[in-house]
Amino acid sequence: MCDLCVIETVKNRMLTERPISRRALLGSAAVTAGSLASGAPTALVGGHSAIEDLTYVLDQDFPTYFGLPGYSAKSKYNFADHTFNLLKLSINEHTGTHVDAPLHFSADGNSVDEIALRDLIVPLCVIDISAKAEQNPDAQVTPEDISAYTAKHGPIPDNACVAMFSGWGRHVQTAKYRNADPDGKMHFPGFHVHAATMLMEETTTVALAVDTLSLDHGRSTNFATHYAWLPTNRYGIENLANLDRVPAAGATLVVGAPKHRGGTGGPARIFALV
């Protein structure tokens, strides 16, 4: 359809279609709620009292692993001239709060559109290493951290996401988030490969998540955790926000992963039911 046709169609609909009434809107919401209660996973309809947004707002200034802008938006249509707004986006898949699909670090792993839906609504376990990250920006989640977590909170639930809370989000508006030294080497926390291996061998964890730019700590030169974790068709999440607002155990993570064919990942809207 031509651009002019699109514009005229939108104009005509704005002039001719009846607005949705409050009664109709509330009725539709009631039907949706009833459907959710009758057919959705239990985690979505009971046992939670709040929702926490774990997603950063994506803009051209959000820090990236390579230090270059990973997002841009250009207005293609605007309301004043065309009676509707439309942006043309340019996005690096691995920018902002985003998913790492298995394909990101494997030859033939699942692409982001192939991640099973059941693996996108999962128990959330938050391992707090903020105290040691405060002392050492190169801190990592270790097997000992996992053992300490399970000793306090019990076993990692089936099909969980295990997240690192390092407190690094407080730096997201500054150069400290990348924390590059004069030689260009970055310093921020991540998962040690031995911790990833422990989770693979002893649990059914489906996702690792971090509040930093990478599953691997910033000093990594071989991406050992990426290469250990993703080729097993597990996925990762990077740049999670607000992990300090969710409990260490008991929350449910909802990952609104993108679904573009063959994608190696992509920005996602992610939130926790707590």
Coordinates of all heavy atoms in Angstrom, one line a residue, residues 194-229:
H194 N 32.1 -21.0 36.0 CA 31.9 -22.2 36.9 C 30.5 -22.1 37.5 O 29.9 -23.1 37.8 CB 33.0 -22.2 38.0 CG 34.3 -22.6 37.4 ND1 35.5 -22.4 38.2 CD2 34.7 -23.1 36.2 CE1 36.5 -22.8 37.4 NE2 36.1 -23.2 36.3
A195 N 30.0 -20.9 37.8 CA 28.7 -20.7 38.3 C 27.7 -21.1 37.2 O 26.7 -21.8 37.5 CB 28.4 -19.3 38.7
A196 N 27.9 -20.7 36.0 CA 27.0 -21.1 34.9 C 27.0 -22.7 34.8 O 25.9 -23.3 34.6 CB 27.4 -20.5 33.6
T197 N 28.2 -23.3 34.8 CA 28.3 -24.7 34.7 C 27.5 -25.4 35.8 O 26.8 -26.4 35.6 CB 29.7 -25.1 34.7 OG1 30.4 -24.5 33.6 CG2 29.9 -26.7 34.5
M198 N 27.7 -24.9 37.0 CA 27.0 -25.5 38.2 C 25.4 -25.4 38.0 O 24.8 -26.4 38.3 CB 27.3 -24.7 39.5 CG 26.6 -25.2 40.7 SD 27.2 -24.1 42.1 CE 26.3 -24.9 43.5
L199 N 24.9 -24.3 37.5 CA 23.5 -24.2 37.3 C 23.1 -25.2 36.2 O 22.0 -25.8 36.2 CB 23.1 -22.8 36.9 CG 23.2 -21.8 38.0 CD1 23.1 -20.3 37.5 CD2 22.2 -22.0 39.1
M200 N 23.9 -25.4 35.1 CA 23.5 -26.3 34.1 C 23.5 -27.7 34.6 O 22.7 -28.5 34.1 CB 24.5 -26.1 32.9 CG 24.3 -24.9 32.1 SD 25.3 -24.8 30.6 CE 27.0 -24.7 31.3
E201 N 24.5 -28.1 35.4 CA 24.6 -29.5 35.8 C 23.7 -29.8 37.0 O 23.2 -31.0 37.1 CB 26.1 -29.7 36.3 CG 27.0 -29.6 35.1 CD 28.5 -29.9 35.5 OE1 28.7 -29.8 36.8 OE2 29.3 -30.0 34.7
E202 N 23.3 -28.9 37.8 CA 22.6 -29.2 39.1 C 21.2 -28.7 39.1 O 20.4 -29.0 40.0 CB 23.4 -28.7 40.3 CG 24.8 -29.3 40.4 CD 25.5 -28.8 41.6 OE1 24.8 -28.2 42.5 OE2 26.7 -29.0 41.7
T203 N 20.8 -27.9 38.1 CA 19.4 -27.3 38.1 C 18.9 -27.3 36.7 O 19.6 -27.7 35.7 CB 19.4 -25.8 38.6 OG1 19.9 -25.0 37.6 CG2 20.2 -25.7 39.8
T204 N 17.6 -26.9 36.5 CA 17.0 -26.8 35.2 C 16.8 -25.4 34.8 O 15.9 -25.0 34.0 CB 15.6 -27.5 35.2 OG1 14.8 -27.0 36.2 CG2 15.8 -29.0 35.5
T205 N 17.7 -24.5 35.3 CA 17.6 -23.1 35.0 C 17.6 -22.9 33.5 O 18.5 -23.4 32.8 CB 18.8 -22.4 35.7 OG1 18.8 -22.5 37.1 CG2 18.8 -20.9 35.4
V206 N 16.8 -22.0 33.0 CA 16.7 -21.7 31.6 C 17.3 -20.4 31.2 O 17.6 -20.2 30.0 CB 15.2 -21.8 31.1 CG1 14.6 -23.1 31.3 CG2 14.3 -20.7 31.8
A207 N 17.5 -19.5 32.1 CA 18.0 -18.2 31.8 C 19.0 -17.6 32.9 O 18.7 -17.8 34.1 CB 16.9 -17.2 31.5
L208 N 20.0 -16.9 32.4 CA 20.8 -16.1 33.3 C 20.5 -14.7 33.0 O 20.2 -14.3 31.9 CB 22.3 -16.3 33.0 CG 23.0 -17.7 33.4 CD1 24.5 -17.6 33.1 CD2 22.7 -18.0 34.8
A209 N 20.6 -13.8 34.0 CA 20.3 -12.4 33.8 C 21.3 -11.6 34.7 O 21.7 -12.0 35.7 CB 18.8 -12.1 34.2
V210 N 21.6 -10.4 34.1 CA 22.6 -9.5 34.8 C 22.1 -8.1 34.8 O 21.3 -7.7 33.9 CB 24.0 -9.6 34.2 CG1 24.6 -11.0 34.5 CG2 23.9 -9.3 32.7
D211 N 22.5 -7.2 35.7 CA 22.2 -5.8 35.7 C 23.4 -5.0 35.2 O 23.7 -3.9 35.5 CB 21.8 -5.3 37.1 CG 22.9 -5.6 38.2 OD1 23.9 -6.3 37.9 OD2 22.7 -5.1 39.3
T212 N 24.2 -5.7 34.3 CA 25.3 -5.1 33.6 C 25.2 -5.3 32.1 O 24.3 -5.9 31.6 CB 26.6 -5.7 34.1 OG1 26.6 -7.1 33.9 CG2 26.8 -5.4 35.6
L213 N 26.3 -4.9 31.4 CA 26.3 -5.0 29.9 C 26.5 -6.4 29.4 O 26.3 -6.6 28.2 CB 27.4 -4.1 29.4 CG 27.1 -2.6 29.3 CD1 28.4 -1.8 29.1 CD2 26.1 -2.3 28.3
S214 N 26.9 -7.4 30.2 CA 27.3 -8.7 29.7 C 27.1 -9.8 30.7 O 27.4 -9.5 31.9 CB 28.7 -8.6 29.2 OG 29.2 -9.9 28.7
L215 N 26.8 -11.0 30.3 CA 26.7 -12.1 31.2 C 28.1 -12.4 31.7 O 28.3 -12.8 32.9 CB 26.3 -13.4 30.4 CG 24.9 -13.3 29.8 CD1 24.6 -14.7 29.2 CD2 23.8 -13.0 30.9
D216 N 29.2 -12.2 30.9 CA 30.5 -12.3 31.4 C 31.0 -11.0 32.0 O 30.5 -9.9 31.6 CB 31.5 -12.6 30.2 CG 31.4 -14.0 29.7 OD1 32.1 -14.9 30.3 OD2 30.6 -14.2 28.8
H217 N 31.8 -11.0 33.0 CA 32.3 -9.8 33.6 C 33.1 -9.0 32.5 O 33.6 -9.5 31.5 CB 33.2 -10.1 34.8 CG 34.5 -10.7 34.6 ND1 34.7 -11.8 33.9 CD2 35.7 -10.4 35.1 CE1 35.9 -12.2 33.8 NE2 36.6 -11.3 34.6
G218 N 33.3 -7.7 32.8 CA 33.8 -6.8 31.8 C 35.2 -7.1 31.3 O 35.6 -6.9 30.2
R219 N 36.0 -7.7 32.2 CA 37.4 -8.0 31.8 C 37.5 -9.2 30.9 O 38.6 -9.5 30.4 CB 38.2 -8.2 33.1 CG 38.6 -7.0 33.9 CD 39.5 -7.3 35.1 NE 40.7 -8.0 34.6 CZ 41.5 -8.6 35.5 NH1 41.3 -8.7 36.7 NH2 42.6 -9.1 35.0
S220 N 36.5 -10.0 30.8 CA 36.5 -11.2 30.0 C 37.0 -10.9 28.6 O 36.6 -10.0 27.9 CB 35.2 -11.9 29.9 OG 35.2 -13.0 29.1
T221 N 37.9 -11.8 28.1 CA 38.4 -11.7 26.7 C 37.9 -12.9 25.9 O 38.1 -12.9 24.7 CB 39.9 -11.7 26.7 OG1 40.5 -12.8 27.3 CG2 40.4 -10.4 27.4
N222 N 37.4 -13.9 26.6 CA 37.0 -15.2 25.9 C 35.5 -15.5 25.9 O 35.0 -16.5 25.4 CB 37.8 -16.4 26.4 CG 37.6 -16.6 27.9 OD1 36.7 -16.0 28.5 ND2 38.3 -17.6 28.4
F223 N 34.7 -14.6 26.6 CA 33.3 -14.8 26.8 C 32.9 -16.2 27.2 O 32.0 -16.9 26.6 CB 32.6 -14.5 25.4 CG 32.8 -13.0 25.0 CD1 33.7 -12.7 24.0 CD2 32.1 -12.0 25.6 CE1 33.9 -11.4 23.6 CE2 32.2 -10.7 25.2 CZ 33.2 -10.4 24.2
A224 N 33.7 -16.7 28.2 CA 33.5 -18.1 28.6 C 32.1 -18.5 29.0 O 31.5 -19.5 28.7 CB 34.5 -18.5 29.7
T225 N 31.4 -17.5 29.7 CA 30.1 -17.8 30.2 C 29.1 -17.8 29.1 O 28.2 -18.7 29.0 CB 29.7 -16.8 31.3 OG1 30.5 -16.9 32.4 CG2 28.2 -17.0 31.7
H226 N 29.2 -16.9 28.1 CA 28.4 -16.9 26.9 C 28.5 -18.2 26.2 O 27.5 -18.8 25.8 CB 28.7 -15.8 26.0 CG 28.1 -14.4 26.3 ND1 28.7 -13.6 27.2 CD2 27.0 -13.8 25.8 CE1 28.0 -12.5 27.3 NE2 26.9 -12.6 26.4
Y227 N 29.7 -18.6 26.0 CA 30.0 -19.8 25.2 C 29.6 -21.1 25.9 O 29.3 -22.1 25.2 CB 31.4 -19.9 24.7 CG 31.8 -19.1 23.5 CD1 32.6 -18.0 23.6 CD2 31.2 -19.3 22.3 CE1 32.9 -17.2 22.5 CE2 31.4 -18.5 21.2 CZ 32.3 -17.5 21.3 OH 32.6 -16.7 20.2
A228 N 29.6 -21.1 27.2 CA 29.1 -22.3 28.0 C 27.6 -22.3 28.0 O 27.0 -23.4 27.9 CB 29.7 -22.2 29.4
W229 N 27.0 -21.2 28.2 CA 25.5 -21.2 28.5 C 24.7 -21.2 27.2 O 23.8 -22.0 27.1 CB 25.2 -19.9 29.3 CG 23.8 -19.8 29.8 CD1 22.8 -19.1 29.3 CD2 23.3 -20.5 30.9 NE1 21.7 -19.2 30.0 CE2 22.0 -20.1 31.1 CE3 23.9 -21.4 31.9 CZ2 21.1 -20.6 32.1 CZ3 23.0 -21.8 32.9 CH2 21.7 -21.4 33.0

